[in-house]
Amino acid sequence: DKAVKYMLDGKTVVCFGDSIFGKNDEDTGLCKQIAKNTNAIVINVAFGGTRMTDRGNTDSGFDQFDFPKLSASVVSKDWSGQENGLTFSGIPSYYASRLETLKNIDFSKVDIITFNYGTNDYTGYGDIREEYKTEMINCISRLQSAYQHIKFIAISPTWRLWYESDGIYLED
Protein backbone atom coordinates (compact mmCIF):
# COMPACT_ATOMS: atom_id res chain seq x y z
CA ASP A 1 0.00 0.00 0.00
CA LYS A 2 1.37 3.40 -1.03
CA ALA A 3 0.27 5.09 2.21
CA VAL A 4 2.29 2.68 4.37
CA LYS A 5 5.29 2.95 2.05
CA TYR A 6 5.15 6.73 2.30
CA MET A 7 4.76 6.69 6.11
CA LEU A 8 7.80 4.46 6.63
CA ASP A 9 10.03 5.79 3.84
CA GLY A 10 13.45 6.50 5.35
CA LYS A 11 12.36 5.62 8.90
CA THR A 12 14.55 3.38 11.05
CA VAL A 13 12.69 0.30 12.27
CA VAL A 14 14.20 -2.15 14.78
CA CYS A 15 12.59 -5.61 14.86
CA PHE A 16 12.75 -7.63 18.08
CA GLY A 17 11.28 -11.11 18.23
CA ASP A 18 11.78 -14.85 18.15
CA SER A 19 12.62 -17.14 15.21
CA ILE A 20 9.66 -15.89 13.19
CA PHE A 21 11.80 -12.80 12.54
CA GLY A 22 15.17 -14.03 13.74
CA LYS A 23 16.01 -17.07 11.68
CA ASN A 24 15.74 -15.64 8.19
CA ASP A 25 17.91 -12.74 7.11
CA GLU A 26 17.59 -13.67 3.45
CA ASP A 27 15.57 -11.63 0.95
CA THR A 28 12.49 -13.71 1.81
CA GLY A 29 12.76 -12.91 5.54
CA LEU A 30 10.23 -10.62 7.19
CA CYS A 31 12.67 -7.80 7.93
CA LYS A 32 13.97 -7.70 4.36
CA GLN A 33 10.40 -7.77 3.07
CA ILE A 34 9.41 -4.85 5.30
CA ALA A 35 12.42 -2.88 4.07
CA LYS A 36 11.74 -3.71 0.42
CA ASN A 37 8.07 -2.78 0.60
CA THR A 38 8.37 0.39 2.68
CA ASN A 39 11.81 1.89 1.93
CA ALA A 40 12.45 1.85 5.67
CA ILE A 41 15.83 1.04 7.20
CA VAL A 42 15.01 -2.21 8.98
CA ILE A 43 17.35 -3.75 11.55
CA ASN A 44 16.76 -7.36 12.60
CA VAL A 45 17.64 -7.99 16.26
CA ALA A 46 15.38 -11.01 16.74
CA PHE A 47 16.72 -14.13 18.44
CA GLY A 48 15.12 -17.52 17.78
CA GLY A 49 13.94 -19.42 20.85
CA THR A 50 13.23 -16.30 22.91
CA ARG A 51 10.16 -15.18 24.80
CA MET A 52 8.20 -12.24 26.10
CA THR A 53 7.37 -14.04 29.37
CA ASP A 54 9.55 -15.17 32.26
CA ARG A 55 11.07 -18.64 32.05
CA GLY A 56 11.09 -19.11 35.80
CA ASN A 57 14.25 -20.44 37.41
CA THR A 58 15.96 -21.58 34.24
CA ASP A 59 19.38 -20.47 33.13
CA SER A 60 19.74 -21.72 29.59
CA GLY A 61 21.44 -18.75 27.99
CA PHE A 62 18.29 -18.13 25.96
CA ASP A 63 16.73 -16.31 28.92
CA GLN A 64 19.28 -13.50 28.53
CA PHE A 65 17.85 -12.77 25.07
CA ASP A 66 14.18 -12.70 26.12
CA PHE A 67 12.59 -9.28 25.54
CA PRO A 68 12.46 -8.20 29.22
CA LYS A 69 16.23 -8.63 29.56
CA LEU A 70 17.02 -7.21 26.12
CA SER A 71 14.91 -4.12 26.75
CA ALA A 72 16.65 -3.60 30.11
CA SER A 73 20.04 -3.89 28.41
CA VAL A 74 19.07 -1.43 25.68
CA VAL A 75 18.29 1.14 28.36
CA SER A 76 21.20 0.39 30.73
CA LYS A 77 23.75 -0.40 27.99
CA ASP A 78 24.89 -3.31 30.18
CA TRP A 79 25.22 -6.33 27.91
CA SER A 80 26.97 -8.63 30.40
CA GLY A 81 23.94 -10.93 30.72
CA GLN A 82 23.80 -11.44 26.98
CA GLU A 83 27.57 -11.87 26.72
CA ASN A 84 27.29 -14.59 29.37
CA GLY A 85 24.32 -16.11 27.53
CA LEU A 86 26.50 -16.60 24.45
CA THR A 87 28.67 -19.05 26.42
CA PHE A 88 25.89 -21.64 26.84
CA SER A 89 25.72 -24.69 24.62
CA GLY A 90 22.83 -24.74 22.20
CA ILE A 91 22.86 -20.98 21.55
CA PRO A 92 22.64 -20.47 17.77
CA SER A 93 25.81 -19.18 16.13
CA TYR A 94 24.11 -16.08 14.69
CA TYR A 95 23.35 -14.77 18.20
CA ALA A 96 26.84 -13.23 18.56
CA SER A 97 26.63 -11.11 15.41
CA ARG A 98 23.00 -10.20 16.11
CA LEU A 99 24.00 -9.05 19.60
CA GLU A 100 26.79 -6.89 18.11
CA THR A 101 24.22 -5.33 15.78
CA LEU A 102 21.94 -4.59 18.74
CA LYS A 103 24.74 -3.12 20.84
CA ASN A 104 25.68 -0.73 18.04
CA ILE A 105 22.22 0.73 17.43
CA ASP A 106 21.84 4.39 18.32
CA PHE A 107 18.30 4.24 19.70
CA SER A 108 18.09 8.04 19.72
CA LYS A 109 17.82 7.69 15.92
CA VAL A 110 15.28 4.83 15.89
CA ASP A 111 11.75 5.74 14.84
CA ILE A 112 9.87 2.47 15.38
CA ILE A 113 10.37 -0.74 17.36
CA THR A 114 8.40 -3.81 16.35
CA PHE A 115 8.22 -6.91 18.48
CA ASN A 116 6.87 -10.34 17.74
CA TYR A 117 7.06 -12.96 20.46
CA GLY A 118 4.75 -15.76 21.48
CA THR A 119 5.51 -19.05 19.80
CA ASN A 120 8.07 -19.95 22.49
CA ASP A 121 5.92 -18.47 25.25
CA TYR A 122 3.31 -21.11 24.40
CA THR A 123 5.80 -23.82 25.36
CA GLY A 124 5.63 -22.61 28.97
CA TYR A 125 3.03 -23.89 31.35
CA GLY A 126 -0.35 -22.44 32.19
CA ASP A 127 -2.18 -19.44 30.79
CA ILE A 128 0.43 -16.96 29.65
CA ARG A 129 -1.96 -14.22 28.53
CA GLU A 130 -1.75 -12.03 31.62
CA GLU A 131 2.00 -12.51 32.03
CA TYR A 132 2.53 -11.74 28.33
CA LYS A 133 0.48 -8.55 28.62
CA THR A 134 2.26 -7.46 31.80
CA GLU A 135 5.74 -8.08 30.38
CA MET A 136 4.85 -6.34 27.12
CA ILE A 137 3.69 -3.24 29.00
CA ASN A 138 6.79 -3.31 31.21
CA CYS A 139 9.15 -3.58 28.22
CA ILE A 140 7.46 -0.75 26.32
CA SER A 141 7.45 1.44 29.44
CA ARG A 142 11.12 0.71 30.10
CA LEU A 143 12.12 1.61 26.54
CA GLN A 144 9.86 4.68 26.41
CA SER A 145 11.34 6.00 29.62
CA ALA A 146 14.68 6.30 27.82
CA TYR A 147 13.48 6.96 24.27
CA GLN A 148 10.19 8.87 24.36
CA HIS A 149 10.17 9.50 20.61
CA ILE A 150 10.02 5.83 19.58
CA LYS A 151 6.73 4.37 18.35
CA PHE A 152 5.95 0.70 19.01
CA ILE A 153 4.24 -1.89 16.85
CA ALA A 154 3.18 -5.09 18.59
CA ILE A 155 2.78 -8.00 16.21
CA SER A 156 0.37 -10.70 17.37
CA PRO A 157 1.90 -13.83 18.84
CA THR A 158 2.12 -16.72 16.43
CA TRP A 159 0.00 -19.71 17.42
CA ARG A 160 1.93 -22.92 17.96
CA LEU A 161 0.83 -26.53 17.73
CA TRP A 162 2.38 -29.97 17.74
CA TYR A 163 1.70 -33.13 15.77
CA GLU A 164 2.46 -36.75 16.57
CA SER A 165 5.02 -38.46 14.30
CA ASP A 166 2.13 -39.97 12.32
CA GLY A 167 0.75 -36.48 11.57
CA ILE A 168 -2.11 -36.61 14.08
CA TYR A 169 -2.72 -33.33 15.92
CA LEU A 170 -1.37 -33.61 19.48
CA GLU A 171 -1.95 -30.29 21.26
CA ASP A 172 -1.60 -26.53 21.11
Side-chain angles (χ1 to χ4, degrees):
D1 180 73
K2 288 182 182 181
V4 172
K5 190 169 192 170
Y6 174 76
M7 290 172 43
L8 295 178
D9 188 22
K11 301 285 187 194
T12 299
V13 179
V14 176
C15 298
F16 287 88
D18 53 31
S19 62
I20 305 305
F21 272 79
K23 275 192 159 180
N24 188 346
D25 251 348
E26 304 301 319
D27 288 341
T28 58
L30 290 171
C31 292
K32 295 278 176 89
Q33 289 296 309
I34 292 169
K36 176 183 171 186
N37 290 295
T38 64
N39 291 329
I41 300 160
V42 181
I43 305 167
N44 185 354
V45 293
F47 297 88
T50 58
R51 297 179 178 182
M52 175 69 75
T53 57
D54 185 12
R55 292 174 187 264
N57 293 327
T58 65
D59 190 13
S60 64
F62 285 96
D63 59 320
Q64 295 301 318
F65 296 90
D66 291 340
F67 198 42
K69 291 184 180 174
L70 284 180
S71 64
S73 293
V74 166
V75 172
S76 71
K77 311 254 187 294
D78 176 4
W79 303 100
S80 57
Q82 288 79 24
E83 294 290 348
N84 182 55
L86 291 175
T87 67
F88 283 76
S89 66
I91 296 296
S93 59
Y94 74 89
Y95 268 42
S97 62
R98 191 70 49 89
L99 178 59
E100 284 307 308
T101 297
L102 179 57
K103 289 164 56 175
N104 289 308
I105 295 172
D106 180 352
F107 279 87
S108 70
K109 296 179 180 175
V110 171
D111 299 294
I112 298 167
I113 289 176
T114 70
F115 55 91
N116 173 255
Y117 292 91
T119 193
N120 300 302
D121 295 274
Y122 289 127
T123 64
Y125 297 99
D127 186 350
I128 59 134
R129 289 177 290 192
E130 283 304 313
E131 185 180 356
Y132 190 99
K133 177 181 166 185
T134 299
E135 290 292 355
M136 179 179 65
I137 291 167
N138 290 342
C139 292
I140 291 171
S141 296
R142 182 180 301 118
L143 289 163
Q144 276 193 322
S145 71
Y147 305 102
Q148 294 86 14
H149 67 284
I150 294 178
K151 306 278 189 265
F152 293 84
I153 298 174
I155 301 169
S156 301
T158 304
W159 183 60
R160 187 169 189 163
L161 61 107
W162 289 266
Y163 288 98
E164 296 269 358
S165 60
D166 59 3
I168 301 298
Y169 171 78
L170 179 63
E171 64 179 312
D172 61 13

